[in-house]
Amino acid sequence: MRKTFIFIVVLFLMGGAYLYLRFGPLSPQHELKRQLEHIIHEHNQANIQALSLDEPTTEYLLELPTDAVVESATDFQGGSEQIGYLVSRVGVKPLHVYMTVTTKSLYHKLFPKWTLLKITIAPNGTLPSIRELQKSAESERNQVVAEEIIKWGEGV
């Protein structure tokens, strides 16, 4: 009886810890808020241009005050295993945000680490497809790997 009780308590604690980590500070919504507020606070034009899908989004993000906060973030609205689509509100306009999983370790299969990929205010109501974003994300990763190989080759 005592062993059963201890087993149930341990199982309950492990389940609670998993739910806290998965849906608490490691959730995509929390990461979206944290990363987006950091980018707005920095007001680094190069970073904002790299994340923005179009010029109106860049202008909107640069016009926001540095103390702007993310008011809301939805759950995933679609996507794939590697890229997720969420909607957030900063200021008066909704932001359509694409996030990607940055690592593929076993730990991150249980607790994925989400990173901002692209942001748009979608002025014309047109959003890129997940397939297009996956191709662009893969090409960017391949370019970074190629640059690292070239640097390594020059250093040898």
Side-chain angles (χ1 to χ4, degrees):
M1 179 70 177
R2 186 168 188 226
K3 289 181 181 179
T4 305
F5 177 73
I6 291 173
F7 177 75
I8 290 172
V9 168
V10 168
L11 190 63
F12 181 75
L13 290 174
M14 288 174 55
Y18 174 78
L19 290 174
Y20 172 74
L21 290 173
R22 181 68 184 232
F23 300 106
L26 296 179
S27 70
Q29 294 85 1
H30 181 78
E31 282 298 310
L32 166 69
K33 289 179 181 181
R34 187 183 65 76
Q35 292 175 21
L36 194 53
E37 286 174 357
H38 177 72
I39 287 169
I40 292 170
H41 177 71
E42 271 187 347
H43 244 54
N44 185 339
Q45 188 171 359
N47 287 348
I48 291 175
Q49 284 179 335
L51 287 173
S52 298
L53 278 171
D54 50 19
E55 190 60 34
T57 304
T58 303
E59 292 171 3
Y60 179 70
L61 291 173
L62 289 172
E63 290 172 0
L64 288 171
T66 58
D67 60 347
V69 295
V70 176
E71 297 170 12
S72 64
T74 64
D75 289 336
F76 281 119
Q77 302 296 309
S80 65
E81 288 183 18
Q82 295 298 319
I83 295 178
Y85 167 70
L86 298 94
V87 179
S88 179
R89 180 171 295 281
V90 179
V92 295
K93 294 185 179 181
L95 295 175
H96 304 273
V97 180
Y98 296 91
M99 298 184 78
T100 184
V101 176
T102 54
T103 58
K104 295 181 182 181
S105 69
L106 180 60
Y107 173 77
H108 286 99
K109 288 194 186 276
L110 290 174
F111 306 107
K113 182 178 179 191
W114 293 95
T115 305
L116 289 176
L117 177 63
K118 294 292 179 185
I119 303 169
T120 184
I121 56 174
N124 300 330
T126 56
L127 297 172
S129 71
I130 297 297
R131 184 171 292 137
E132 291 171 3
L133 287 172
Q134 280 180 321
K135 288 179 183 177
S136 67
E138 287 174 11
S139 66
E140 287 176 10
R141 278 191 220 118
N142 291 340
Q143 183 179 2
V144 168
V145 169
E147 289 172 358
E148 288 178 3
I149 290 172
I150 290 170
K151 286 179 185 176
W152 182 77
E154 291 173 352
V156 171

